Amino acid sequence: MQEHREHIHGQWSSRWAFILAATGSAVGLGNIWKFPYITGENGGGAFVLVYLGCIALIGVPIMVAEIMLGRRGRRSPINAMRFLAHEEGVAPAWQALGWWGVVAGVLILSFYSVIAGWALAYVVRAAGGVFNGMDGTTAQTVFTELVQDPERLLAWHTMFVVMTVVVVSRGVAAGLEKAVRWMMPVLFLILLVLVGYAMNSGHFMAGLRFMFAPDFGRLSLQGVLIAMGHSFFTLSLGMGAIMVYGSYLSRRTSIMSTTFVIAAADTSVALLAGLAIFPIVFANGMPPGAGPGLVFQTLPIAFGNMPGGTFFGTLFFVLLAFAAWTSSISLMEPAVAWLVENHNVSRVNAAAFTGIVGWVLGLGTIFSFNVWSGEPYQLFGKTVFDLLDYATTNVMLPLGGLLIAVFAGWFMRRSSSMEELGIGDSRLYRGWRFVIRYVSPVLITLVFLQLVGILRFN
Ligand code: PFF
């Protein structure tokens, strides 16, 4: 029956088109906005090391599994899981995994588009020359003025949601492929320019040491969970985004090698962003743990003091918004694909509906930085934004990923996964299967158990 299940939303024109789209999904705010600030908050080197370990031992194998399940299921995650569960003769309840992803996707979208709105706002500031000659204090003031104004945040958030809805309504392939094709290389180049600036800041070594000299004394258990959660977030795993992209992938493409390319691109962008940011942090005597504003309070200083800074700064924030755009599209796609398949609605209406839900929920994040930032509006000392971010990134995505690993490793027949991966009973296949059965699920479980205090190693 597997052969008869054709894709109904279209298909990528080539392997490269898929790599570009999946890299577009992976590379986003997670790499440039989030990675540096959580690295800063969690003490640097040891955190980065754990994060890299999670990418290799959890992220990459689960990405292989997720693409594989998507391509074999050929439908939105909910229906793909239903088909696959049927085909493998296991409980139909596995489709709950798809539901889990749809919910996580919309929740992430709600705060993602608010932060992407910051990037849009910074395009205007950069182009208007606001960064010229900027120092640490002004950079902080400019950022604070933005986030303390709910109306401005709302306007940018609205604009970003509309941008996302427009692209998603037009279908997966149209536009997306072309945009990502030039955006990624240029983003890479600008990051290199920024790293070049950071090298001359006089504090490059301090930045390098902060990021790569591990001091495990500065990494808490929470930090380990955050590193693991981020490995899912940054690779867009655990919620069906990569699964739904995989469902548009041609049968002939090698999933393994494609995954390596995507993971390598994603990791290098994050590390470059860190290398650009931390030297500036130290050169200006800022705290590395400044939180979500870190990128917005550091890079403008670099742009404001380098030749051609207005141009580079504008281009950088345009690209950051773009990178966020190609990611938010994939956050919406599992929900939209499902609405189109099961409820016979047009893509346009499905995208608009999903967008509206994300937009409304986004208000909570907007207010987290101003009118709801205070004590009475917090739970466990966390704002709505903190809670959403924590619940999705550190709980929902790893749990989704755990279930994907368990399904692909234990419930799917060996012959099925071997056939789908198309590399025969090779060492690579056996290695992947071992990791997906034993290593990734055990590691995820251990981190969770440690955290709830059931297991204590120290
Ligand atoms: N990977 C994106 C980033 O790093 O910015 C965020 C993301 C996109 C997470 C899609 C999850 C997802 F499904």
Side-chain angles (χ1 to χ4, degrees), residues 106 109 157 161 165 332 349-362:
V106 177
L109 176 72
H157 166 62
V161 171
V165 168
M332 230 188 216
N349 288 342
F353 175 75
T354 316
I356 290 171
V357 177
W359 182 85
V360 173
L361 292 173

Side-chain angles (χ1 to χ4, degrees), residues 25-31 108 112 233-236 239 241 327 330-331:
S25 166
V27 175
L29 295 171
N31 307 62
I108 295 176
Y112 204 81
F233 186 87
T234 192
L235 292 175
S236 306
M239 57 142 283
S327 301
S330 69
L331 284 166

